[in-house]
Amino acid sequence: MKRWWRMTALFCIVLSLSAQKSSAAHASFPSYPSFPRFPNVDDHSVIVGSSFKPVNDDLTDDEPAASIKMTHMRVRSEIAMRYARTAIICNVYNPSKKPQEATFDVLLPDTAFISGFTMTLGTETYEAYVKERKEATQIYDDAVKQGASAAHVATKARDSNDFTIKFNVEGRSNATYRLRYEELLVRRNGVYNHAINLHPGTLVPKMDVVVHIKESQQISVLRVPELRSGNEIHATEKDAQNANAVIRRGKNEREATISFTPNLEEQKRLAELYAEKTKKTADLDSSNVGFDSAEKDNEVEGLLGQFVVQYDVNQPENGEILVNDGYFVHFFAPSSLPPLSKHVVFVLDTSGSMGGNKIEQLRKAMIAILSDLNPSDYFSIVEFNSGVQVHELKEAKKALTPYYTNPDSPVGIVPVPALASPDNIASAKIIVTRLIAVGGTNIYKALDVAINIVQSRDLQKAQTNSANVSLISQYNNGTDQNKNELEPIIIFLTDGEPTVGETNRDRIITYLSERNSGPNKATLYTLAFGENADRVFLRKLSLRNDGFMRHIYEAADAALQLHDFYREVSSPLLSDVKFLYPRRQIKEGSLSQSRFRTINDGSEVAVVGRVADNINEITPQVLGLRAERDGRSRKLYEVNPTVPVTQNKDEYLPLERLWAYLTIKQLLDKSDAGDTSQSGSEDDSSEERPEKKALAIALKYSFVTSLTSLVVVRLNKTDVVEAVDVETVDDPSFSPFSASFPLKNLTYTSASTDEGLTVASSLGPVLFARATNRHNSGASFGGGPTSGAVTHKPYSPPMADYENDYDLEAYEWTSSIQVSGTDSLVLKVNGTEVVLNLSKDLVPPKSKGGDPECFNSLPLTAKVVATNEGPASVCVYISRCDAARHISVNAYQTSYCLVNDRYAGVCCPRNEIDK
């Protein structure tokens, strides 16, 4: 029988997995990354090209075909320096004689960049590479012309992107896919949240999740809450913890491994809980409450929910700078400072579309937010619909009189902002309980009035301490003589788009951004309430005014979402923060954003860059304004750290990837915040345009962004490539983040060429490399020290008595990497030499304090697990590990370690030591 897939002329998949320049894809950070939602206009496209002959008649029968079964689902996350790299590996089996289509939804945080995709169908492997979107679109069109089918995939989760993978599986055969993505975890309210969506759609016989964290500072907080539906706000220390998650901490408290392995019974229980939670917290604006149409009550098996790991590290008082292989990251999270007093202007939409549950949730949230104001804060409440009203607190004593404001009527005298005293807060709560929804949406006038309030000279004069004026003026080079000592913040909430007054969005953004300038420029945070808010417009408006946009979902917990957001921005500790680096120490053009309007309590900022050549140290300066004890007066804040620059490469620090990720994110933000009124005035082909720079970096590092897409191609049988095998996930030679295959002999549509496809990846071997350059190496899920392509330097012949000198007779492979005349082994990893000392002592060296635990162990047929007797694998000198006798140099590349920070060690299974 000629099987259908052997007759396939080509198999081309264009995964348009780009984060579209859309409302869903551009929320600032992922708060609620997993809840099924309705399709919208921002759908992503997936096409699967397949041209195969019908199944032979002799394979058909009258009985229905047995459905495809998922046999394995494994997730591996490696987190280092807040940078998370995750791989999802799934295997399915088709028990029927007939070929069948398998469909899987993969749910990712919208801040994540997909960085790789591999699929094995039977004996053939398909690999993805990143192309510019225009070229990928051409491939898409060509595939459609050749008969490929197209499907639309909706964004189905809060601040997440949902992608569907469809492919045909031959009868009685297996298929495996591996999807890799990366993201920088954001610190909010004092913790980093790493969320993994477990939505296989069915109960899986083998499912396990392993998250490995390795930080440079001690892990001070580590929590694993119960699986969540994804429709809740972030868990806190008060929430119930996951009793089935196993947490193992390293001895130095800077490392931890979290594992979760639910069996079928536990999966069924979790699926039932997921269904219950989803119904309770379903989006109120969805007619299909809780599920898409295909997700009926009897079909929710396997929708387990969201596995979340929350952690924090000890935050050095003056920040932390890490340098590795020519790149640096500067983390800064100030604490133990009094919050700056602020002036908050709440601009609240009460148009007709806010009726019902929306206005009720707004009232509830505002009551909680008003209670959180500090005694030294000031606030104003601006309500708008067709017109605008600035509320005076004396209204609380009057009877409620519903009104409808004429949009053309003047606002009148703007009341002075109110001090957040108990009496004023009580009056304000009465006012917000009376808010009613009526009329249109006059966004322009509402924000114009809010800016007028912030710019009020009466408020400035009343609150400015004359002694501090000269201090602040000096800090800002004399430009801020009228600097308001209250930090001005505008919190703007709307559920729609401008329908009254000025409705041209570009003119609104341009005019308001010009008005909101000078020493008292306010940070503008916009909250897009529900699905009808114009999130693209609101995002741009925020970016142009030093803030960000957050999507508030119209769900049962909308009030909690609003309050949770306010907590993030309500305690600024520093303002006007500048990170200054001597020009000679940093490569020109490599520095990311280095100025920040404010840094809030519980948050963290990161600055990345490239270190100049021949520099021995970095001496940055951090400047800002902090509050005096009264919270109102300000004084200068200054930190002057010094960090040495070493030439050694620490493999577990993914600083180059982190630099690329953060640089792309900020370039895309800059592009999105561009002045559209001036569009066309700049040369579209200019290499200095933010999107051009972002595209170049995305292509180099194989990141799927709004500018790039994945293209999956079928490899010819002559290609040398390893098939994806879910069983090899825990093998140190298996790299979840790298993929390599030759440039030649790829099968794809005519729109693709071999030109420009050599994309280097610092996480693993070159993505596209000729067979002669291919090496079996890569990053270990277990946190091993190596994470890159391996090349070998031709070493001098070893000394004749090499094995006898170092007691390594049984470890013949070590002779090929020992340098003649030295007591050391030398590895070449990512262009950097790693030197490991050898010992001539009869007794092998041992680590002080006992053998330390490690996670990049040598593979064994019989796997070892941690018990009460000790960890599964520990770092020991080579000659103590019997399992290392007949390994290859490549295997050692992924499992080496240092004993006492100098001797050649290996991560050895516990039961293979000292035999």
Side-chain angles (χ1 to χ4, degrees):
M1 180 196 73
K2 292 185 178 180
R3 297 179 177 178
W4 64 264
W5 69 317
R6 296 186 182 279
M7 300 298 294
T8 301
L10 59 84
F11 188 106
C12 175
I13 307 173
V14 176
L15 294 177
S16 193
L17 303 180
S18 52
Q20 305 281 352
K21 291 185 178 180
S22 66
S23 52
H26 284 299
S28 296
F29 297 105
S31 295
Y32 316 98
S34 87
F35 179 70
R37 300 185 58 77
F38 258 155
N40 57 34
V41 295
D42 301 320
D43 290 355
H44 300 277
S45 297
V46 176
I47 67 165
V48 178
S50 54
S51 54
F52 55 89
K53 293 184 177 181
V55 180
N56 292 343
D57 290 338
D58 61 343
L59 292 181
T60 60
D61 51 50
D62 296 332
E63 297 181 3
S67 60
I68 287 180
K69 300 180 183 298
M70 181 181 289
T71 60
H72 292 60
M73 180 178 182
R74 314 192 102 173
V75 182
R76 297 293 183 269
S77 280
E78 184 72 27
I79 304 174
M81 305 304 104
R82 297 71 149 161
Y83 192 70
R85 296 166 290 174
T86 303
I88 302 171
I89 308 97
C90 292
N91 185 83
V92 298
Y93 176 70
N94 180 9
S96 172
K97 297 179 181 179
K98 306 175 183 179
Q100 297 189 72
E101 183 181 70
T103 301
F104 299 105
D105 284 343
V106 180
L107 200 59
L108 308 180
D110 76 335
T111 57
F113 287 157
I114 291 175
S115 56
F117 178 80
T118 307
M119 181 166 59
T120 296
L121 301 178
T123 60
E124 297 194 25
T125 296
Y126 301 78
E127 187 74 28
Y129 59 89
V130 176
K131 298 290 287 182
E132 187 175 2
R133 287 190 66 195
K134 290 182 180 179
E135 187 169 355
T137 300
Q138 183 62 52
I139 296 174
Y140 176 96
D141 293 339
D142 288 350
V144 171
K145 290 177 183 178
Q146 296 180 32
S149 59
H152 289 284
V153 185
T155 297
K156 296 168 57 180
R158 288 186 175 182
D159 300 333
S160 296
N161 290 323
D162 176 51
F163 305 112
T164 296
I165 301 169
K166 293 184 178 181
F167 50 88
N168 286 289
V169 184
E170 185 187 6
R172 294 178 179 173
S173 68
N174 289 284
T176 304
Y177 76 83
R178 177 180 67 200
L179 184 71
R180 306 180 296 276
Y181 63 92
E182 304 175 30
E183 61 177 325
L184 177 64
L185 304 182
V186 178
R187 189 169 185 256
R188 286 181 178 166
N189 295 322
V191 292
Y192 307 97
N193 283 268
H194 180 50
I196 297 171
N197 296 288
L198 299 178
H199 288 178
T202 183
L203 302 181
V204 185
K206 293 183 180 180
M207 175 187 290
D208 58 272
V209 180
V210 177
V211 177
H212 179 236
I213 305 171
K214 190 170 184 179
E215 292 283 347
S216 59
Q217 302 293 326
Q218 287 191 352
I219 299 174
S220 57
V221 175
L222 182 57
R223 302 193 295 258
V224 183
E226 284 186 338
L227 260 66
R228 306 169 68 74
S229 71
N231 197 29
E232 307 109 312
I233 62 173
H234 284 319
T236 68
E237 66 277 4
K238 297 179 181 178
D239 288 273
Q241 299 299 293
N242 190 330
N244 293 313
V246 178
I247 299 176
R248 291 190 293 136
R249 285 179 175 263
K251 292 183 179 179
N252 57 13
E253 295 296 323
R254 296 194 298 268
E255 198 166 356
T257 301
I258 301 95
S259 57
F260 177 62
T261 310
N263 57 26
L264 289 173
E265 182 179 352
E266 177 65 8
Q267 290 179 47
K268 186 174 181 179
R269 185 186 73 84
L270 292 172
E272 293 171 353
L273 287 176
Y274 174 86
E276 182 180 350
K277 285 183 179 180
T278 304
K279 290 178 181 179
K280 288 182 179 179
T281 58
D283 285 14
L284 301 176
D285 58 355
S286 293
S287 56
N288 258 350
V289 176
F291 304 100
D292 283 346
S293 57
E295 294 172 0
K296 305 302 181 185
D297 287 348
N298 60 346
E299 295 179 354
V300 298
E301 277 193 347
L303 299 182
L304 306 186
Q306 189 180 84
F307 181 78
V308 179
V309 175
Q310 295 181 319
Y311 79 96
D312 195 22
V313 298
N314 290 338
Q315 301 289 343
E317 183 178 353
N318 295 328
E320 181 181 22
I321 303 175
L322 301 169
V323 184
N324 188 38
D325 198 31
Y327 293 82
F328 78 89
V329 60
H330 190 165
F331 290 116
F332 191 67
S335 59
S336 303
L337 295 175
L340 296 165
S341 296
K342 58 188 179 293
H343 173 208
V344 188
V345 182
F346 298 101
V347 184
L348 309 177
D349 185 348
T350 59
S351 59
S353 58
M354 283 289 293
N357 285 306
K358 288 182 180 178
I359 197 71
E360 181 60 33
Q361 296 276 22
L362 176 59
R363 297 184 195 121
K364 185 178 179 180
M366 282 302 301
I367 289 174
I369 288 171
L370 288 167
S371 297
D372 282 353
L373 289 168
N374 297 323
S376 59
D377 291 340
Y378 283 74
F379 68 96
S380 303
I381 299 176
V382 178
E383 178 187 359
F384 74 98
N385 36 61
S386 295
V388 179
Q389 179 179 1
V390 184
H391 286 281
E392 297 185 70
L393 298 184
K394 61 184 180 182
E395 297 172 23
K397 299 179 181 179
K398 300 178 181 179
L400 174 62
T401 55
Y403 70 95
Y404 181 86
T405 309
N406 186 328
D408 299 321
S409 63
V411 175
I413 299 175
V414 176
V416 176
L419 180 67
S421 64
D423 289 343
N424 287 342
I425 290 175
S427 297
K429 288 180 178 180
I430 294 174
I431 291 172
V432 298
T433 59
R434 296 175 175 179
L435 296 176
I436 59 173
V438 61
T441 310
N442 197 339
I443 288 176
Y444 167 75
K445 192 170 186 178
L447 289 175
D448 189 43
V449 169
I451 293 171
N452 281 337
I453 296 174
V454 170
Q455 299 283 356
S456 170
R457 292 301 177 97
D458 292 335
L459 179 66
Q460 295 171 30
K461 292 177 181 178
Q463 303 304 325
T464 300
N465 181 300
S466 59
N468 267 342
V469 169
S470 59
L471 177 70
I472 298 171
S473 176
Q474 180 182 5
Y475 171 68
N476 291 287
N477 298 319
T479 60
D480 289 359
Q481 295 290 343
N482 297 309
K483 176 72 177 182
N484 187 352
E485 290 198 357
L486 295 173
E487 189 62 35
I489 298 173
I490 296 176
I491 295 181
F492 169 52
L493 178 143
T494 183
D495 75 330
E497 54 190 26
T499 61
V500 177
E502 179 60 73
T503 58
N504 183 287
R505 291 159 177 76
D506 290 340
R507 285 200 293 266
I508 292 174
I509 293 172
T510 300
Y511 180 78
L512 292 176
S513 299
E514 291 174 352
R515 290 270 291 109
N516 184 32
S517 60
N520 295 299
K521 180 179 182 179
T523 304
L524 175 60
Y525 300 108
T526 59
L527 301 174
F529 200 162
E531 293 300 312
N532 295 323
D534 188 341
R535 284 175 278 172
V536 175
F537 159 64
L538 297 177
R539 169 179 158 78
K540 184 169 185 177
L541 182 63
S542 291
L543 289 173
R544 289 280 290 276
N545 290 274
D546 295 339
F548 57 83
M549 184 272 293
R550 178 66 52 77
H551 186 192
I552 303 298
Y553 293 87
E554 187 188 355
D557 67 341
L560 291 175
Q561 294 176 55
L562 288 166
H563 190 201
D564 192 56
F565 159 79
Y566 176 75
R567 288 175 57 221
E568 289 182 37
V569 301
S570 62
S571 294
L573 301 183
L574 291 173
S575 69
D576 301 313
V577 185
K578 307 172 185 177
F579 290 74
L580 305 176
Y581 302 86
R583 293 183 61 181
R584 65 179 182 82
Q585 297 177 1
I586 306 300
K587 287 189 176 180
E588 184 178 358
S590 70
L591 198 64
S592 67
Q593 179 183 347
S594 58
R595 297 195 174 209
F596 302 87
R597 176 57 189 273
T598 57
I599 301 180
N600 293 291
D601 189 23
S603 68
E604 178 182 69
V605 298
V607 180
V608 293
R610 300 183 65 183
V611 182
D613 297 332
N614 302 318
I615 295 298
N616 296 322
E617 63 181 15
I618 301 178
T619 57
Q621 184 180 38
V622 183
L623 297 174
L625 296 174
R626 57 160 294 181
E628 295 279 14
R629 291 185 178 276
D630 61 5
R632 192 168 300 170
S633 302
R634 298 190 183 188
K635 67 178 183 180
L636 294 178
Y637 177 90
E638 182 176 356
V639 175
N640 297 280
T642 298
V643 180
V645 176
T646 61
Q647 299 304 316
N648 293 333
K649 181 172 182 179
D650 194 338
E651 295 295 339
Y652 90 91
L653 291 174
L655 299 192
E656 184 175 355
R657 302 290 292 186
L658 198 162
W659 172 84
Y661 172 95
L662 195 57
T663 301
I664 292 172
K665 283 286 185 185
Q666 293 179 0
L667 286 170
L668 293 178
D669 283 349
K670 186 177 180 180
S671 175
D672 290 345
D675 187 352
T676 56
S677 65
Q678 302 297 324
S679 61
S681 61
E682 189 176 356
D683 182 7
D684 289 342
S685 63
S686 172
E687 296 302 319
E688 294 303 310
R689 290 176 64 89
E691 57 268 32
K692 287 285 187 179
K693 292 181 179 180
L695 174 61
I697 299 173
L699 290 174
K700 178 178 180 180
Y701 291 92
S702 300
F703 282 142
V704 179
T705 70
S706 59
L707 306 174
T708 54
S709 293
L710 273 182
V711 177
V712 178
V713 298
R714 181 171 68 88
L715 307 180
N716 288 345
K717 294 180 180 180
T718 56
D719 298 329
V720 181
V721 65
E722 294 176 357
V724 179
D725 184 358
V726 73
E727 295 286 0
T728 66
V729 171
D730 295 315
D731 188 328
S733 64
F734 170 83
S735 170
F737 309 115
S738 63
S740 59
F741 57 88
L743 250 175
K744 295 183 176 180
N745 302 322
L746 302 181
T747 301
Y748 44 82
T749 62
S750 59
S752 299
T753 69
D754 284 350
E755 297 177 1
L757 296 183
T758 304
V759 184
S761 169
S762 66
L763 281 176
V766 177
L767 183 60
F768 295 93
R770 300 186 185 279
T772 54
N773 293 332
R774 186 173 180 275
H775 296 276
N776 296 323
S777 64
S780 167
F781 270 128
T786 182
S787 60
V790 179
T791 57
H792 294 292
K793 177 180 178 181
Y795 296 108
S796 304
M799 299 174 61
D801 59 349
Y802 167 75
E803 290 88 355
N804 292 329
D805 285 347
Y806 305 106
D807 193 27
L808 294 174
E809 298 93 329
Y811 304 81
E812 296 181 358
W813 57 269
T814 59
S815 63
S816 64
I817 55 174
Q818 194 265 342
V819 180
S820 178
T822 68
D823 295 329
S824 60
L825 303 180
V826 179
L827 302 177
K828 188 81 169 181
V829 182
N830 283 346
T832 301
E833 288 189 347
V834 178
V835 180
L836 308 167
N837 291 346
L838 297 174
S839 172
K840 295 182 179 180
D841 295 340
L842 294 178
V843 178
K846 294 185 178 181
S847 297
K848 299 175 182 178
D851 300 327
E853 183 178 13
C854 54
F855 300 91
N856 54 316
S857 176
L858 288 169
L860 281 181
T861 302
K863 297 190 180 299
V864 183
V865 297
T867 66
N868 293 333
E869 298 178 359
S873 301
V874 293
C875 179
V876 298
Y877 187 69
I878 290 178
S879 64
R880 293 182 57 201
C881 182
D882 191 66
R885 289 175 180 268
H886 303 295
I887 66 173
S888 66
V889 173
N890 281 338
Y892 188 57
Q893 293 277 358
T894 63
S895 59
Y896 78 85
C897 58
L898 289 174
V899 176
N900 290 332
D901 295 326
R902 57 180 301 201
Y903 290 110
V906 63
C907 190
C908 188
R910 191 181 66 249
N911 61 353
E912 291 291 317
I913 297 172
D914 295 333
K915 282 191 173 182

